[in-house]
Amino acid sequence: MTPTSSQPSSIAALLAAALLAGCASLPPGTDSRTATVTRTAHGVPHIVAPDLETLAYGVGYAHAQDNVCLTADQLLTVRGERSRHFGGSAQGLLGLRWLPNEQIDAYVATMVDDAALERAWSRASGNSQAMARGWVAGYNRFLQDRAGNLPAACKGQPWVQAMTLRDFRRFTEILSMQAGQVALADAVVGARPPAASPAAATAPTVPAARAGAVSADALAEAVAAFREVGLVDPPYGSNAWAFGRDTSAGSRGVLLGNPHFPWVGSNRFWQMHLTIPGQLDVMGASIGWAPWVQIGFNRDVAWSHTVSTGVRFTLHELQLVEGDPTAYRVDGQVHRMQRREADITVRAADGSTRVQRVGAWSTRFGPVVVLPRAGLNWTARNAYALQDVNTGNVRSGDTWLGFGSASRVQDLQAAMRNLGVPWVNTVAADRQGQVMYADVSAVPDMDAALLARCAPSRAAAALLGAARIAVVDGSRSECDWRRDAGSPVPGVTPIERMPVAVRSDWVHNSNDSFFYTHPAQRFEGISPLVGDDVIRRLRTRSGLTELPELMARGPVTPEAALGQLFANRNTAARLVLPDLLAACAATPPSQAQARDGCTALQGWDRSNQLTARGAHVFREFWRSASALPNVHRVPFDRARPIATPDGLRLSDPAVAPKVWEALAAAVVKVRGAGFALDAPLGSVQRAITSAEPIGLHGGDDTEGVLNNLGDRRAPGITARGIVIDYGTSYLQAVGFDERGPVARGLLSFGQSVDPASPHSSDQTRLFARQEVPRLPFHPEEIARERVGEVLRLVRPSGMP
């Protein structure tokens, strides 16, 4: 293996080179503001336009054809109007969290700053602004065309309204910050000074005992609190594998992109192919309202993203002024907090409405947060303010446009220099046989030395290693990383100090840090805020075990990579089941249910295929058993991170009874839900997005199954089975030939949220059968596989 590198070209040079590339052309006589939309199998749109604004106009329209009701519902979120229409106690999605509508509206009304967003967008590129305008206008055009004839979920509803640029800006801001401030929205709107909450005046804070030992119980409770809000073991993930010329068939790059994301809400992926003749030709998928491809491929490069371990915010421990808990000192000078207030309208069960005053407190760093379970209390002495690195991040559109025009992996590096990628790693392969791993996501610019100088206490510092939460001293301006320290974007760690590797053999990521990109890859000088050497995802161990086995079988093809993913091997079972079954035989548990569980697991093939019998029993068992203290026979060893932890500590009298209790409880739960212990997984595990019971293969993140599927909102088996609402979503396996990409891909939940659409679950059935179709990319392939009539949309000339 030989690492390769070269200077990344500029985005301008990248786009200039793209002008020489041959792409699809618009039909003769087509208006200069016309977007054409050609659908192929499974409703995938291929959109061609003469410019970016018209292209985005077509994207907004086509997306609304599939998902207008979803977008209309999301508009209520970004406007803070959910309570007005659905009531305050009903729940909605804000980013990746389900919260009461009242909390969502309060957060949006008080913390989304339209004036600041307008200033940020005034600095955005002309390309990003044009595409935002186009997307909004395309959505509104669809509403105009289909007035009175919308899908049943939103037909005739008063909350279906036209979109504005303000709405689009709000949506992108919330999406960018969903791994930071938005995840703590309830902690923001729930923050009250101690005068309003007397008990808080004496409540302990994280750094209560500055010189004392950190309480293990308190730290565990804090970790649990952050896990509950999705900031520890976050409810999103992914796998991405790239194989270079040393390991791939044909000596060209091969990429498998396998993002694990929600099947519902604003983070649903949607497939598209975007072309501007002579300038852009890119295919893939994006989440939300993105008018650009976020994960995909073009003629020369394929890439995917995985959520990275980078820290997206810091918590600043404020030293409050004695007698005034809404004033704090920085470098000895007094600063006053600002109270942000707004009115929201709340609908009652009888249809009447009331106006409710809501508020939140803000500082020079950001909002004050209160999370008592984590020890983040507002007392007479201290409060905690959250500073999010993605506030005002309007750069990501340019990053992804640069990706779409890339001709080699170094061009992706060039596109990332603007530091617009909000919270993901990038894994890529190109037609020349190079592969790349990069975590150039937005991370506060604090190195290890500055973190040490800014540490507020032992307990607070411990949160970084335990929960990836960085607490810093808020009484010193040195610890305010929003300063101009030479970075192209003040406060964001520049690419030169982020981990980037270009190789010719292989790289991978499954949501652990850059340390585990490749066994031979080393990085120096990377901030602890980017990542550490702890493996938190069992899928990382799965990948580092299974990928060498895949390569040992011969040169890797896209089909071989898909086959490895769909083997659905259960790593947790490989690690712990031998000990469990040996103990079942040697010292059978006293509980009859546990003995029945032993019998079921003895007959299981340790996979998560549709036909696997007993997989659901192990799932319910391991959900609880994996959280037991000291459950492993061999504990984690930093010197052997791939091999540990391992086994079950069933010789320990403090552990064994709890393991058997977990197994017995799993049996009771499975039977109580009405399923046999030896039922095939396909009869138990089903898609939330399909009205018909489509059985699914795949396993939970805690099991280390690479093909990750989860039931995040309502975990656990019920009478409906295991209802999947998260996991493998947009899936692509891409290779290259002399003409360009040879790609397979699917969207596991389908293109549309409308149950009446033929594309609401057609790809779910493909996914269940492990059929990943070829994706038409070249013009003649699209013409040959066209389904239905070509749609031509003329963008109004006077459109702002």
Side-chain angles (χ1 to χ4, degrees), residues 576 622 625-634 646-650 655 659:
V576 306
W622 193 239
S626 61
L628 294 174
N630 304 312
V631 71
H632 289 288
R633 174 171 43 82
V634 182
D646 190 16
L648 288 174
R649 192 189 295 270
L650 291 172
V655 173
V659 171

Side-chain angles (χ1 to χ4, degrees), residues 545-567:
T545 300
E546 295 188 35
L547 294 191
E549 295 174 5
L550 168 64
M551 291 179 283
R553 293 196 291 270
V556 177
T557 64
E559 291 74 18
L562 285 169
Q564 191 68 50
L565 179 73
F566 285 155

Side-chain angles (χ1 to χ4, degrees), residues 424-442:
V424 290
N425 303 293
T426 301
V427 174
D430 66 26
R431 201 152 59 99
Q432 291 75 41
Q434 300 179 106
V435 296
M436 182 190 74
Y437 163 83
D439 186 351
V440 190
S441 57

Side-chain angles (χ1 to χ4, degrees), residues 394-425:
V394 298
R395 307 175 300 274
S396 58
D398 288 324
T399 306
W400 282 308
L401 284 173
F403 278 26
S405 299
S407 60
R408 54 182 184 156
V409 296
Q410 286 84 358
D411 294 333
L412 304 185
Q413 290 178 253
M416 287 186 285
R417 285 188 174 276
N418 72 348
L419 308 178
V421 176
W423 28 259
V424 290
N425 303 293

Side-chain angles (χ1 to χ4, degrees), residues 475-696:
S475 68
R476 296 160 53 203
S477 60
E478 179 188 21
C479 306
D480 183 353
W481 42 264
R482 283 282 188 193
R483 63 195 185 283
D484 190 356
S487 171
V489 183
V492 185
T493 307
I495 190 172
E496 290 79 10
R497 288 188 274 114
M498 295 294 282
V500 179
V502 177
R503 306 177 64 90
S504 59
D505 51 0
W506 63 279
V507 292
H508 93 124
N509 186 267
S510 288
N511 306 119
D512 279 306
S513 84
F514 57 88
F515 275 86
Y516 298 100
T517 298
H518 184 285
Q521 185 67 47
R522 298 293 181 269
F523 300 96
E524 301 294 337
I526 307 299
S527 166
L529 296 188
V530 182
D532 58 23
D533 62 350
V534 176
I535 291 182
R536 294 176 173 84
R537 304 286 187 135
L538 193 51
R539 282 181 292 105
T540 297
R541 293 175 63 182
S542 303
L544 290 171
T545 300
E546 295 188 35
L547 294 191
E549 295 174 5
L550 168 64
M551 291 179 283
R553 293 196 291 270
V556 177
T557 64
E559 291 74 18
L562 285 169
Q564 191 68 50
L565 179 73
F566 285 155
N568 285 309
R569 289 165 53 175
N570 192 304
T571 295
R574 176 176 61 83
L575 297 175
V576 306
L577 207 55
D579 284 356
L580 184 71
L581 295 181
C584 285
T587 55
S590 58
Q591 303 101 315
Q593 295 92 339
R595 292 195 297 273
D596 290 345
C598 289
T599 301
L601 294 177
Q602 283 171 341
W604 176 40
D605 65 4
R606 305 183 194 185
S607 83
N608 283 69
Q609 300 288 27
L610 287 174
T611 56
R613 295 181 178 274
H616 56 305
V617 177
F618 184 80
R619 171 89 53 87
E620 296 302 325
F621 159 68
W622 193 239
R623 283 183 202 265
S624 56
S626 61
L628 294 174
N630 304 312
V631 71
H632 289 288
R633 174 171 43 82
V634 182
F636 174 71
D637 181 353
R638 266 192 159 85
R640 301 170 59 228
I642 313 304
T644 59
D646 190 16
L648 288 174
R649 192 189 295 270
L650 291 172
S651 61
D652 186 335
V655 173
K658 295 178 181 178
V659 171
W660 297 125
E661 287 170 10
L663 182 56
V667 169
V668 170
K669 193 169 186 180
V670 168
R671 284 174 169 162
F675 292 92
L677 301 185
D678 62 350
L681 183 61
S683 69
V684 180
Q685 184 164 265
R686 300 165 182 177
I688 193 173
T689 52
S690 175
E692 60 181 292
I694 301 175
L696 300 174

Side-chain angles (χ1 to χ4, degrees), residues 107 110-112 177 180-182 184-185 187-191 313-316 318 328 337-338 340 359-370 378 383-388 391:
Y107 173 79
T110 58
M111 296 311 304
V112 177
M177 295 198 301
Q181 185 188 116
V182 170
L184 288 167
V188 170
V189 300
F313 64 91
T314 50
L315 292 172
H316 295 252
L318 305 178
Y328 58 99
M337 297 178 187
Q338 302 298 314
R340 296 184 177 184
W361 291 88
S362 189
T363 70
R364 60 177 279 176
F365 306 107
V368 178
V369 298
V370 170
W378 191 344
Y384 297 87
L386 188 152
Q387 189 170 29
D388 194 306
T391 302

